[in-house]
Amino acid sequence: MTFVDELKSAVTPRAALLVIGVLALQLLFIASYVGALHNPKPKDVAFGVVAPGEAAAQTRDKLAKLPGEPLDPRVIEDEGEARRQIMDRKIDGALVVDPRGTEDTLLVASGGGKALANALETITAKTEGAEKRTARTVDVAAASPQDFNGLSSFYLVVGWCVGGYLCASIMSISAGSKPANPQRAAIRLGALALLAVAGGLGGAVIIGPILGALPGSIMGLWGLGALVTFAVGAVTLALEELTGIVGIGLAVLLIVVAGNPSAGGAFPLPMLPPFWNAIGPALPPGAGTWVARSIAYFRGNAVTGPLLVLSAWAVVGTVVTLLVAMRKTRGGAGARLSGRGGSSPSGV
């Protein structure tokens, strides 16, 4: 047997295409993570300004003209309102100007991302120093001392996502598994739901009572974990139904390659480049990370939109999985009936 024959028997055309797909995923992984995270800079960060009279507008305009436009400042009535808007996640920080002295107050929320809080401190120190003023920092929603850089919520959601697409992949491609008909598709979705409930509870207990890494409602995190896991798993099942084994790669592309670097985990959304900033909230890792931080540090505020995003992924994944399974079943039945019809004339 020649080398060419050995090569053909060792690497089939299908295998070659899958290897090329793996190479593409590898390069996209590098491009996505490095592109999103290699040079984080704050851009248009929602920022409040509290100051008396005309000083408020003057301070706002000064901050709006900073090089690179790191802040999107807006005038807020008083410090109490600024704190409320931070807790409602409408703004990421605020500067409270004290006209009676030279020390102002910077309000931040490290629970929403330590990197962003640090960036706001750096920006404020420079602007205040230019005016021969200082600013003391008050952390309105401080990250737990056990939650380094506010990353625990992101790692928690990544774990739930991994459980979702691995479970879906195993059920579809494990040895002896059969193509889904409506009954098998429903059973697989049911099994995925059970895993989601168990994984959601396990993750919430591990990160809360066991490790003490993240405060907040155990029940709230449990529900979030179940929704994230099921949404990711359902989408993976749907992609596998549509494209076969290629669907696993598409799920990795969607969740890992695109979703993780844009989730606002390592660096909050205002510090990401425009493309990743735009797609992050629409993907399960980003929506899940936002909700986890809201539960832990912001009294569960501002979660309706992200929960609707996760629910949409879950519903679309479920519906597509079932519809494609039904279509394949009908198609297979039609082909069998056609085969029987074609043989009938010879038997008449």
Side-chain angles (χ1 to χ4, degrees):
M1 182 179 289
T2 66
F3 175 76
V4 173
D5 292 332
E6 291 282 8
L7 180 62
K8 289 180 179 178
S9 63
V11 183
T12 64
R14 182 171 182 269
L17 288 174
L18 290 175
V19 169
I20 292 172
V22 170
L23 174 62
L25 277 177
Q26 179 187 51
L27 297 179
L28 285 170
F29 183 98
I30 295 170
S32 183
Y33 277 70
V34 177
L37 307 176
H38 76 289
N39 188 26
K41 294 180 180 179
K43 178 70 174 179
D44 293 329
V45 179
F47 192 75
V49 175
V50 178
E54 296 181 358
Q58 293 172 355
T59 303
R60 177 199 61 199
D61 294 343
K62 177 182 66 177
L63 295 176
K65 295 176 182 178
L66 290 175
E69 299 180 344
L71 303 179
D72 177 19
R74 69 284 310 269
V75 174
I76 295 178
E77 182 179 356
D78 55 39
E79 181 176 347
E81 178 61 22
R83 288 174 177 265
R84 281 190 292 273
Q85 290 196 25
I86 290 174
M87 292 303 299
D88 290 340
R89 309 201 74 178
K90 294 179 179 178
I91 60 175
D92 296 298
L95 180 65
V96 182
V97 178
D98 182 3
R100 297 167 297 180
T102 59
E103 183 182 68
D104 300 325
T105 301
L106 172 66
L107 305 178
V108 298
S110 62
K114 185 67 175 177
L116 182 56
N118 289 342
L120 292 178
E121 287 189 61
T122 300
I123 294 169
T124 302
K126 289 182 178 179
T127 57
E128 291 283 273
E131 301 288 334
K132 300 189 183 311
R133 300 180 66 85
T134 60
R136 66 183 182 93
T137 300
V138 176
D139 202 337
V140 176
S144 165
Q146 304 300 317
D147 182 11
F148 178 74
N149 278 350
L151 292 174
S152 296
S153 54
F154 171 61
Y155 294 142
L156 175 64
V157 171
V158 167
W160 284 329
C161 289
V162 169
Y165 66 70
L166 283 183
C167 176
S169 301
I170 289 169
M171 287 191 294
S172 296
I173 68 172
S174 61
S177 62
K178 296 181 179 180
N181 56 27
Q183 291 76 20
R184 291 191 198 107
I187 290 171
R188 289 172 183 172
L189 287 166
L192 176 64
L194 290 176
L195 171 84
V197 171
L201 176 59
V205 170
I206 289 170
I207 206 165
I210 294 179
L211 297 179
L214 204 65
S217 166
I218 298 297
M219 296 298 294
L221 290 174
W222 180 8
L224 172 64
L227 181 56
V228 169
T229 304
F230 184 81
V232 171
V235 168
T236 304
L237 284 175
L239 291 172
E240 290 168 351
E241 286 296 312
L242 289 168
T243 63
I245 194 172
V246 175
I248 297 175
L250 294 177
V252 171
L253 176 64
L254 181 70
I255 304 301
V256 179
V257 175
N260 286 353
S262 65
F267 299 106
L269 291 175
M271 300 188 72
L272 298 180
F275 173 75
W276 287 268
N277 184 307
I279 68 172
L283 297 176
T289 299
W290 178 277
V291 176
R293 283 177 170 163
S294 289
I295 292 172
Y297 299 117
F298 297 92
R299 303 171 189 163
N301 293 328
V303 299
T304 301
L307 288 177
L308 288 175
V309 168
L310 292 168
S311 299
W313 283 107
V315 170
V316 169
T318 299
V319 171
V320 170
T321 298
L322 294 173
L323 287 180
V324 174
M326 292 171 60
R327 183 179 178 183
K328 288 181 178 178
T329 301
R330 290 171 183 169
R336 289 192 295 272
L337 288 173
S338 176
R340 293 170 186 168
S343 61
S344 61
S346 61
V348 174

